[in-house]
């Protein structure tokens, strides 16, 4: 092999020497030219060209000199062709260099670019307008455009350059055929032993195409880079392999099929066990309090209900015993920092330290864990500013604040203040998070809440004339922010031959600028319930209510009310059997309400707890004497959010729990239709989906309730319902959910038995329209029976009008 190489070199030298001799022979009389001339140039002068070739008249030249001169002329990037010749004119020898100048670039255009902006493509072209076109540079620019499309995942893109010549100028047109994105046909993992290919592929964003249309396997360069640098190392780190890395990645492309195989080579490294743990620098919290956030061993903090539900939904893998989990360690560190933020130590630093070592005779890889804490000084709120409120008074907004100037900064109270302002309903729901800015050198901060007013309230009216019905119409007014002071006013009046419905209410959240709220309402209504032939009722009355805040709780209020109502029944149906012409009930009510919900009318977080007691009759007077106790508890938590929904807010996956119960003591007499409890359906009484209205009675389930009129025995004096739901809040107007209901109805409160409940499950949707809430539910009643008492579970469709639950 060495001898062959020497021979090849020697042959090359001989060939070069022969070529030089041949070229020298062609010079002939021009071996010593009398002059040097140039032909074909238009823009470059002879003087510039003579200086470029470096050949003087009467000098002796050879083939090497002319070859170098031609090379130097090409190097100017001015010419497409250069060659020399020798001419003899009048006995004088002339060495002639014939050149063909390159065309001048007049413009650059890009056509066919869609997935990538034409401007971005044009930026990859490094050619100067007004300069000669360099073919080598054009080829480089094509390669740069190819690289741009590959970075965007369009590996199948093709670029073709066309020319448009006008006179001496030329326009270059870069025609791009973008093709489609590369599809991933498969992902091959090399070097993995601890984790399977399936486990790794499930954790990355670069997934192969599948059977369903949404599994198109589209290649994304950003996701691919994130998988290599972040997702795969994090996956291994959560299993104790904190040294794992992707050492090689290959994209094997089949351009004919438009597909690619991803091959990733991993170096897993050793699996680390958990060693010692300590906390340094904690003073505000004790080491034992900090240790409750430690995610490993016996000191690990127990999971709450929400964490358990999230674990079920996300199907989290079972943690390996005594194995280090980097993700859990980072999450615990964030919770420690959050605990300090909630106490005002927003400048604190919680540094997680992971120290590797080998333990025991078998040199087991082990990590010792430590939190180095620098608490620093807590931040004090210097001032709170409200920006953007043009209608709503600042006092009204400030009443919702849980954090005030002079307070130690608290992150939870800041979030609750933000939620309260959003829940007012006076501002656009895409409220930006409150800003914080340094106030002084001592570390105090200012808080700024940005709001954007939206239209609140509405006025509507109309009239009609019909044969036999006469003149009818309606007038409506509703304003939840009267005078911009958070006062509420409502007026509804419908009138006609068969309609009479009047209601008026007014609420002041701060009576005479105090912390006491007040509501007064008056009504006169005639209602006709066709559901199970209940019949027509005529009611008139009013109520006065005062609300008082509880000490040390801004979200809890205690209400005291008094109301009087006169009722008469008419027409056919159930109420026609009631002997009551102008019956009267006098009621004193007490209510305890705690509400921290966020997001109206479909909450995404928080709780609502309500306990209400009504005392009717007795010393108060009236037709009937009884006591009515009701309770309601709701809880919501967001499991995940998804980008932008149909509107300004992201879609949210929400889990919710609701429990309701009620008990009536005494005899409601002629008021049982509105005061006793009924169960089933969604349109009257207490809802239980999967069952028809009034199908669940204190005596049990009635299979053919739709064929009978409601009876007094259809009502009970105690009930219980519970609901678990998994919902998707698309936006403020649309909510989709899957639910599980359970409940029952009893004749007396002492008959309450939570072990015997009727169950239903299904799917539903709720929509908020200008006319009010609308919804539909499809429920499956598990405990339905037929007329023979045999199990007969069925689906039941429910339509909801004017209510959300």
């Amino acid at each position: 092999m060495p001898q062959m190489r020497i021979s090849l070199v020697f042959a090359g030298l001989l060939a070069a020497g022969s070529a030089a001799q041949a070229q020298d022979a062609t010079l002939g009389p021009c071996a010593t030219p009398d002059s040097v001339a140039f032909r074909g140039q238009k823009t470059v002068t002879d003087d510039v060209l003579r200086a470029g070739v470096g050949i003087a008249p009467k000098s002796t030249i050879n083939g090497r000199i002319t070859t170098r001169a031609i090379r130097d002329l090409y190097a100017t990037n001015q010419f497409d062709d250069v060659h020399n010749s020798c001419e003899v004119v009048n006995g004088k020898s002339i060495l002639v260099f014939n050149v063909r100048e390159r065309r001048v670039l007049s413009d650059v255009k890009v056509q066919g670019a869609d997935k990538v902006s034409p401007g971005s493509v044009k930026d990859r072209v490094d050619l100067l307008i007004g300069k000669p076109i360099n073919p080598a540079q054009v080829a480089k620019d094509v390669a740069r455009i190819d690289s741009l499309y590959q970075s965007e995942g369009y590996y199948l893109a093709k670029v073709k350059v066309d020319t448009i010549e006008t006179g001496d100028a030329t326009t270059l047109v870069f025609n791009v055929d973008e093709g489609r994105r590369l599809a991933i046909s498969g992902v091959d993992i090399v070097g993995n032993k601890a984790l399977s290919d399936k486990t790794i592929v499930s954790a990355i964003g670069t997934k192969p195409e599948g059977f369903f249309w949404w599994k198109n396997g589209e290649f994304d360069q950003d996701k691919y880079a994130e998988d290599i640098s972040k997702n795969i190392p994090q996956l291994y780190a959560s299993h104790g392999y904190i040294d794992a890395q992707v050492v090689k990645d290959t994209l094997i492309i089949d351009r004919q099929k438009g597909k690619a195989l991803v091959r990733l080579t991993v170096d897993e490294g050793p699996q680390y066990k958990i060693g010692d743990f300590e906390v340094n620098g904690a003073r505000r919290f004790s080491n034992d309090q900090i240790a409750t956030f430690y995610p490993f061993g016996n000191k690990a903090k127990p999971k709450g209900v929400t964490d358990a539900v999230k674990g079920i939904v996300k199907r989290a893998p079972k943690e390996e015993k005594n194995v280090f989990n980097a993700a859990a360690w980072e999450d615990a560190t964030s919770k420690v920092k959050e605990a300090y933020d909630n106490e005002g130590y927003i400048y604190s630093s919680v540094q997680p330290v992971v120290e590797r070592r080998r333990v025991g005779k078998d040199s087991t890889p082990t990590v010792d864990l430590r939190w180095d804490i620098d608490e620093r000084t807590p931040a004090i709120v210097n001032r709170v500013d409200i920006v953007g409120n043009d209608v709503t008074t600042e006092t009204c907004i400030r009443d919702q604040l849980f954090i005030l100037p002079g307070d130690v900064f608290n992150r939870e109270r800041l979030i609750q203040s933000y939620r309260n302002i959003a829940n007012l309903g006076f501002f656009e729901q895409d409220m930006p998070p409150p800003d914080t800015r340094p106030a002084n050198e001592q570390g105090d901060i200012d808080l700024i809440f940005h709001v954007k007013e939206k239209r609140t309230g509405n006025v509507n009216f109309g009239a009609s004339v019909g044969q036999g019905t006469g003149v009818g119409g309606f007038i409506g007014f509703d304003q939840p922010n009267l005078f911009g002071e958070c006062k509420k006013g409502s007026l509804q009046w419908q009138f006609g031959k068969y309609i009479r419905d009047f209601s008026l209410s007014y609420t002041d959240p701060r009576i005479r600028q105090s912390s006491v709220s007040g509501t007064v309402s008056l009504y006169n209504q005639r209602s006709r319930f066709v559901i199970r032939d209940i019949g027509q009722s005529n009611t008139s009355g009013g109520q006065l209510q005062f609300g008082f805040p509880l000490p040390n709780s801004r979200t809890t209020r205690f209400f005291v009310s008094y109301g009087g109502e006169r009722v008469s029944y008419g027409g056919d149906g159930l109420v026609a059997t009631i002997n009551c012409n102008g019956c009267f009930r006098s009621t004193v009510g007490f209510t305890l309400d705690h509400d921290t919900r966020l997001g109206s009318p479909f909450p995404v977080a928080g709780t609502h707890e309500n306990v209400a007691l009504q005392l009717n009759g007795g010393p108060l007077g009236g037709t009937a004497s009884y006591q009515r106790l009701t309770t309601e508890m709701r809880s919501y938590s967001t499991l995940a959010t998804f980008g932008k929904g149909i509107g300004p807010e992201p879609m949210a996956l929400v889990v919710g729990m609701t429990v309701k119960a009620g008990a009536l003591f005494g005899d409601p007499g002629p008021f049982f239709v509105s005061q006793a409890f009924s169960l089933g359906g969604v349109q009257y009484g207490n809802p239980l989906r999967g069952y028809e209205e009034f199908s669940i009675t204190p005596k049990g389930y009635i299979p053919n309730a739709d064929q009978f009129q409601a009876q007094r025995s259809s009502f009970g004096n105690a009930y219980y319902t519970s609901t678990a739901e998994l919902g998707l809040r698309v936006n403020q107007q649309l909510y989709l959910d899957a639910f599980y209901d359970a409940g029952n109805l009893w004749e007396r409160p002492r008959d309450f038995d939570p072990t015997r409940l009727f169950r239903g499950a299904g799917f539903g949707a709720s929509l908020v329209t200008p006319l009010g809430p609308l919804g539909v539910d499809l429920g499956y009643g598990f405990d339905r029976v037929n007329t023979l008492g045999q199990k007969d579970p069925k689906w039941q469709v429910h339509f909801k009008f004017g209510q959300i639950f």
Side-chain angles (χ1 to χ4, degrees):
M1 184 66 75
Q3 291 83 353
M4 184 178 293
R5 291 176 181 168
I6 293 173
S7 300
L8 291 173
V9 172
F10 182 68
L13 292 174
L14 288 177
S18 300
Q21 291 177 0
Q23 192 171 23
D24 290 344
T26 62
L27 290 174
C30 291
T32 307
D34 293 304
S35 63
V36 179
F38 301 91
R39 293 175 183 170
Q41 76 275 17
K42 296 180 179 179
T43 59
V44 184
T45 64
D46 287 0
D47 293 339
V48 173
L49 295 177
R50 286 193 179 93
V53 299
I55 298 176
K58 301 296 184 179
S59 62
T60 302
I61 63 174
N62 55 31
R64 291 187 180 87
I65 293 176
T66 57
T67 299
R68 184 174 64 247
I70 291 173
R71 184 175 64 244
D72 290 343
L73 290 174
Y74 271 120
T76 63
N77 292 325
Q78 299 284 337
F79 309 107
D80 280 331
D81 183 44
V82 180
H83 64 275
N84 67 297
S85 62
C86 182
E87 297 179 3
V88 178
V89 179
N90 298 326
K92 301 290 184 178
S93 60
I94 304 173
L95 178 62
V96 180
F97 287 93
N98 298 283
V99 298
R100 187 174 75 247
E101 287 187 343
R102 289 175 175 171
R103 297 186 68 83
V104 175
L105 180 65
S106 61
D107 194 10
V108 173
K109 296 182 179 180
V110 175
Q111 293 182 354
D114 182 30
K115 304 296 191 307
V116 178
S117 69
S120 299
V121 176
K122 195 171 184 178
D123 289 343
R124 294 293 176 123
V125 179
D126 196 16
L127 296 170
L128 298 178
I129 304 296
K131 298 294 182 181
I133 300 172
N134 186 347
Q137 185 60 48
V138 173
K140 290 181 180 179
D141 292 342
V142 170
R144 295 181 65 189
I145 295 173
D146 282 336
S147 177
L148 171 64
Y149 271 93
Q150 288 182 16
S151 68
E152 297 292 333
Y154 293 92
Y155 284 80
L156 306 179
K158 298 177 181 179
V159 182
K160 180 183 177 182
V161 182
D162 294 328
T163 60
I164 302 176
E165 297 181 356
T166 305
D168 294 334
T170 298
T171 299
L172 291 184
V173 181
F174 289 80
N175 291 297
V176 183
D177 179 8
E178 295 181 321
R180 62 179 178 83
R181 275 185 181 268
L182 200 63
I184 303 302
S185 60
V187 179
D188 183 23
I189 311 296
V190 179
N192 56 314
K193 295 180 180 178
L195 300 180
S196 66
D197 289 12
K198 183 178 179 181
T199 300
I200 296 175
V201 172
S202 65
I204 63 179
T206 305
K207 299 184 186 297
E209 58 186 352
F211 175 77
F212 297 103
W213 71 90
W214 63 81
K215 295 184 178 181
N216 55 18
E218 191 175 73
F219 180 77
D220 187 302
Q221 185 69 36
D222 293 336
K223 289 182 179 180
Y224 184 58
E226 186 178 20
D227 291 337
I228 295 171
S229 62
K230 179 181 177 182
N231 294 339
I232 294 178
Q234 282 186 350
L235 172 66
Y236 269 99
S238 66
H239 291 80
Y241 296 89
I242 56 178
D243 297 331
Q245 57 181 330
V246 179
V247 296
K248 183 179 180 182
D249 66 282
T250 307
L251 202 61
I252 305 173
I253 301 174
D254 185 342
R255 295 185 179 273
Q256 296 297 324
K257 297 181 179 179
K259 299 182 184 297
L261 172 68
V262 174
R263 180 168 293 157
L264 303 175
T265 302
V266 298
D267 179 8
E268 295 181 328
Q271 186 182 48
Y272 285 83
K273 304 292 184 179
I274 298 172
D276 299 330
F277 168 70
E278 62 177 321
V279 179
N280 291 333
R283 296 185 302 276
R284 173 61 184 84
F285 300 106
S286 67
N287 285 0
D288 288 339
Q289 289 175 316
I290 297 293
T292 59
F293 295 97
Y294 182 64
F296 309 113
N298 295 330
K299 295 180 180 180
K301 191 174 181 179
K303 293 183 178 180
V305 174
T306 301
D307 292 332
V309 173
K310 288 182 178 180
I312 294 173
V313 173
K314 297 183 178 180
R315 300 183 66 179
K318 185 178 181 181
E319 295 183 0
E320 302 175 73
K321 187 176 181 181
N322 203 37
V323 171
F324 177 63
N325 184 332
W329 175 243
E330 292 176 2
D331 182 62
T333 303
S334 299
K335 291 180 178 178
V336 174
K337 181 62 171 71
E338 184 177 318
Y340 271 100
D341 289 348
N342 288 337
E343 296 297 322
Y345 292 83
I346 61 174
Y347 304 113
S348 64
S349 170
V350 180
Q351 185 66 33
V353 180
V354 178
E355 296 180 345
R356 297 167 171 83
R357 64 186 174 97
R358 299 276 179 170
V359 177
K361 297 180 180 180
D362 56 353
S363 297
T364 303
T366 305
V367 289
D368 292 333
L369 305 176
R370 185 175 73 250
W371 278 320
D372 287 338
I373 300 175
D374 182 7
E375 295 183 341
R376 301 179 186 176
T377 305
I380 306 299
V381 177
N382 178 62
R383 59 181 295 164
V384 180
D385 293 332
I386 312 295
V387 179
N389 54 313
D390 301 323
V391 177
T392 307
T393 62
E394 192 159 311
T395 301
C396 174
I397 300 175
R398 289 186 178 275
D399 285 342
Q400 311 304 316
L401 298 179
F402 277 68
I403 187 167
L404 303 173
D407 291 347
V408 174
F409 176 80
N410 185 289
R411 183 173 175 271
E412 287 186 350
R413 293 206 301 269
L414 177 65
I415 293 175
Q416 187 60 54
S417 300
Y418 171 83
R419 290 177 175 178
N420 285 356
I421 294 175
N423 282 344
L424 284 173
F426 307 154
F427 311 109
E428 298 291 345
Q429 284 299 302
D430 57 337
M431 277 179 52
D435 289 336
T436 60
R437 67 186 179 198
N440 49 46
E441 296 180 356
Q442 287 72 38
D444 298 340
I445 62 172
D446 294 336
L447 303 179
I448 305 97
F449 291 87
H450 298 272
V451 298
K452 183 179 180 181
E453 300 272 7
K454 71 176 183 180
R455 186 183 66 84
T456 60
N458 59 79
V459 176
N460 51 75
F461 55 88
S464 64
V465 178
Q467 185 176 1
T469 61
V471 178
F474 64 91
I475 298 174
F477 169 78
D478 181 63
Q479 175 56 265
N481 190 18
L482 277 173
F483 319 117
E485 297 180 353
C486 294
K487 300 178 181 181
K488 300 178 182 179
S490 175
L491 169 65
Q492 299 294 329
W493 181 29
Q494 298 184 61
F495 57 90
K497 183 175 182 180
Y498 300 107
I499 301 175
R500 187 184 71 244
D501 191 343
F502 173 84
S503 63
L504 174 68
S505 68
Y506 172 77
T507 299
D508 189 342
R510 293 174 60 89
I511 299 177
R512 301 181 66 87
Q513 302 303 312
S514 69
S515 59
V516 179
S517 65
T519 299
V520 58
S521 60
L522 300 171
Y523 55 89
N524 188 339
Q525 301 171 334
R526 177 167 58 194
S527 303
R528 170 69 178 173
F529 293 101
V530 297
I531 301 173
R532 299 296 177 268
D533 295 329
I534 293 177
Q536 177 181 298
S537 62
N538 302 281
T539 61
S540 60
Q543 184 184 58
L544 180 64
Q545 176 179 271
F546 296 97
F548 306 89
L550 263 63
N552 303 319
S553 178
R554 295 284 303 278
T555 58
T556 306
R557 296 184 73 84
F558 180 70
F559 297 92
V560 178
S561 64
Y562 173 78
E565 181 180 82
R566 187 173 299 278
V567 179
S568 62
Y569 302 111
D572 300 326
L574 173 62
V575 296
T577 63
I578 303 175
N579 183 19
C580 178
N581 187 13
C583 297
F584 180 78
R585 68 184 183 97
S586 180
T587 305
V588 172
F590 305 94
T591 303
L592 187 64
D593 188 89
H594 175 75
D595 195 350
T596 62
R597 289 175 296 179
L598 172 64
S600 175
F602 307 114
V604 296
T607 61
H608 181 214
E609 298 158 331
N610 181 282
V611 179
L613 174 64
Q614 292 182 5
L615 305 178
N616 295 266
L620 302 173
T623 307
S625 178
Y626 61 96
Q627 298 79 45
R628 193 173 190 263
L629 176 66
T630 57
T631 63
E632 178 179 342
M633 290 173 283
R634 297 175 180 263
S635 178
Y636 303 91
S637 179
T638 298
L639 299 179
T641 56
F642 308 97
K644 286 290 185 180
I646 307 173
E649 293 183 280
M651 293 187 292
L653 184 64
V654 181
V655 60
M657 299 289 294
T658 302
V659 175
K660 296 181 179 180
L664 191 148
F665 303 92
D667 183 8
F671 304 105
F672 76 87
V673 176
S674 62
Q675 298 298 296
F677 307 108
S678 63
L679 191 62
V682 299
Q683 284 297 307
Y684 193 91
N686 299 287
L688 188 65
R689 290 163 286 189
Y691 301 86
E692 297 171 342
E693 269 79 12
F694 292 100
S695 62
I696 298 175
T697 73
K699 303 298 182 181
Y701 174 73
I702 299 177
N704 50 356
D706 59 334
Q707 302 177 14
F708 297 96
Q709 173 184 310
Q711 304 293 325
R712 176 62 181 92
S713 59
S714 301
F715 295 81
N717 289 343
Y719 88 99
Y720 168 87
T721 61
S722 61
T723 298
E725 66 179 89
L726 181 65
L728 178 63
R729 185 183 191 269
V730 179
N731 55 20
Q732 284 183 283
Q733 284 75 42
L734 180 60
Y735 181 78
L736 311 174
D737 71 318
F739 59 84
Y740 177 83
D741 290 347
N744 204 350
L745 183 68
W746 294 275
E747 186 174 355
R748 297 167 297 184
R750 65 169 179 259
D751 297 331
F752 173 74
D753 181 6
T755 64
R756 180 66 183 96
L757 302 176
F758 291 91
R759 302 161 300 157
F763 308 91
S766 295
L767 179 66
V768 177
T769 71
L771 300 177
L774 302 175
V776 60
D777 289 307
L778 179 62
Y780 186 78
F782 293 99
D783 300 304
R784 296 171 67 132
V785 295
N786 57 25
T787 55
L788 300 177
Q790 300 170 333
K791 287 188 176 181
D792 187 25
K794 290 182 180 179
W795 289 98
Q796 180 78 34
V797 178
H798 304 281
F799 294 97
K800 299 177 290 188
F801 303 98
Q803 58 183 337
I804 294 176
F805 55 87

